[in-house]
Amino acid sequence: MQNFDFDTVILGGGPAGFSAGIYAARGAVSTAIVDISMLGGQPSNYLELENYPGFSLIGGYDLMEKFEEHADKFGVNKFPMQEIESVDLISNPKVIKTSEVEIKAKTVIIATGAKPMKLGVIGEDNFVGRGVSYCAVCDGAFYKDKVVAVVGGGNSAVEEAMYLTKFASKVYVIHRRNELRADKIIQERAFKNDKLEFVWDTVVKEIKGAELVDSIMCENVKTGEVSKLEVNGIFPYIGILPNVENFNGQIAQDKKGFILTDENMKTSVDGVFAVGDVRVTPLRQVITAAADGAIGAVNAVKYVESLKEIAV
Ligand code: NAP
């Protein structure tokens, strides 16, 4: 077990975490990013982004590589692939224990992001990796000339459904209402795509199959009619939940678990900041995550400096 001390530890290496790392390191405080997986966060799995200013079209992985190179330039320490055992946000210093290291920090910036919400229907857990997937970019190529369903009506569902039409012969988009939530520009593109078939006012009740998924049972929420759709795969994109397992109960959160902050990204715990998708925020984009990271880090640096003043 190795021991480390840093002024600021950032939990999560996505856009919010890297941005916080760049701003904290440039603020001349010792900084580390800790992540349970590879660095890069959710955008690493996005095929392309076309709304990050300065890049009219860039691969998600490529953009996050640039974020990482930028953080490296300012000497941010990195601890990827860490199995987190505990995070004590209340003590001073804060303590992060993983299976490999124990890190003490004067401030913690939580940038752990969010994960896909599950449908919670029969068969979903059983068929993960055998027809149920939460990542079209990762698994889409397995569905060449097959029929798949995407569930949801937001930007993720519609964009990923369009991506899947590169491989699949047909993609159903199953939405619980008769109107999409996705941005208008995304909707316009989707409605022009012949391989997409929209199934309105419908929810999935069950995922069925033998070794692999072969069908889903759906219910029309207006008529109550139950129907069977023959599909080889199903991609639920029905929203996200915050990655907060290690902090639950230590910090103020909303009903879904998203962390409450003020405009300076301060949480209810002194010296702890939350940035990006993990916090309660009106918009979850790479640009807003990066902006949050900057604000959080600037205030974390101020906090570290205030501790030094107290110590003098
Ligand atoms: P989202 O915008 O919250 O959309 C979730 C969709 O799933 C909604 O259409 C919702 O229906 C539906 N839904 C929710 N719970 C459901 C359930 N239990 N059963 C069936 N359907 C359910 O989530 P998202 O698409 O994952 O996007 C998350 C955030 O990332 C958003 O802020 C989004 O704008 C952003 N994002 C942006 C881009 C981009 O700008 N290119 C790309 C991807 C994601 P209702 O509409 O009826 O509520």
Side-chain angles (χ1 to χ4, degrees):
M1 172 76 64
Q2 279 186 293
N3 292 288
F4 295 90
D5 282 280
F6 292 105
D7 290 324
T8 298
V9 165
I10 298 154
L11 300 174
F18 276 129
S19 166
I22 292 161
Y23 274 77
R26 284 193 79 245
V29 299
S30 61
T31 304
I33 296 179
V34 178
D35 201 307
I36 58 167
S37 53
M38 300 293 288
L39 301 182
Q42 294 179 89
S44 297
N45 293 325
Y46 299 168
L47 180 69
E48 288 163 346
L49 286 97
E50 55 178 24
N51 54 7
Y52 191 78
F55 298 93
S56 56
L57 187 68
I58 186 164
Y61 185 84
D62 298 338
L63 181 63
M64 294 323 298
E65 237 180 12
K66 287 183 187 294
F67 271 54
E68 185 166 0
E69 282 165 19
H70 198 158
D72 288 343
K73 183 183 162 193
F74 292 111
V76 174
N77 297 276
K78 299 183 292 187
F79 297 86
M81 307 297 289
Q82 293 296 314
E83 202 179 310
I84 307 275
E85 286 178 352
S86 65
V87 176
D88 184 348
L89 298 175
I90 310 296
S91 66
N92 283 309
K94 324 290 179 197
V95 185
I96 296 107
K97 283 187 190 159
T98 81
S99 53
E100 291 169 30
V101 294
E102 179 172 316
I103 303 175
K104 293 199 170 86
K106 295 190 178 89
T107 64
V108 169
I109 302 176
I110 300 172
T112 44
K115 58 179 167 292
M117 242 167 79
K118 290 190 168 188
L119 294 168
V121 299
I122 302 166
E124 185 175 20
D125 288 340
N126 293 347
F127 286 110
V128 170
R130 296 187 291 122
V132 173
S133 169
Y134 303 88
C135 179
V137 175
C138 318
D139 297 330
F142 296 124
Y143 295 92
K144 191 161 167 30
D145 300 326
K146 306 257 194 275
V147 178
V148 298
V150 168
V151 187
N155 282 334
S156 299
V158 180
E159 285 193 332
E160 303 306 321
M162 281 193 285
Y163 174 70
L164 286 166
T165 62
K166 286 176 195 258
F167 309 100
S169 55
K170 179 175 197 158
V171 180
Y172 293 107
V173 179
I174 302 171
H175 184 35
R176 63 182 177 182
R177 292 186 291 136
N178 62 1
E179 200 181 11
L180 296 174
R181 177 182 292 277
D183 295 346
K184 287 285 175 262
I185 187 169
I186 294 173
Q187 294 195 26
E188 280 165 20
R189 281 181 208 152
F191 291 140
K192 282 185 198 149
N193 191 321
D194 292 340
K195 282 189 176 179
L196 292 185
E197 182 174 330
F198 290 87
V199 184
W200 303 111
D201 298 316
T202 298
V203 292
V204 175
K205 300 300 272 187
E206 187 177 347
I207 300 169
K208 297 172 96 166
E211 197 55 35
L212 302 170
V213 167
D214 60 28
S215 59
I216 50 177
M217 301 307 294
C218 300
E219 184 183 307
N220 183 301
V221 291
K222 287 195 173 149
T223 63
E225 190 190 332
V226 175
S227 58
K228 181 176 174 180
L229 275 185
E230 293 193 352
V231 298
N232 306 105
I234 174 165
F235 292 77
Y237 278 103
I238 60 165
I240 52 173
L241 286 174
N243 293 317
V244 285
E245 291 73 16
N246 294 305
F247 335 110
N248 276 328
Q250 297 187 51
I251 201 158
Q253 292 161 272
D254 76 358
K255 270 195 232 151
K256 282 185 166 175
F258 289 97
I259 298 173
L260 296 161
T261 66
D262 69 8
E263 62 184 14
N264 291 314
M265 309 299 145
K266 286 184 185 170
T267 69
S268 58
V269 179
D270 220 22
V272 178
F273 302 81
V275 295
D277 285 7
V278 75
R279 78 178 188 100
V280 176
T281 171
L283 189 61
R284 292 192 171 87
Q285 299 277 298
V286 177
I287 183 71
T288 48
D292 276 9
I295 297 170
V298 165
N299 287 297
V301 170
K302 280 186 192 161
Y303 179 82
V304 171
E305 283 163 359
S306 74
L307 293 179
K308 284 181 193 153
E309 282 162 21
I310 293 166
V312 168

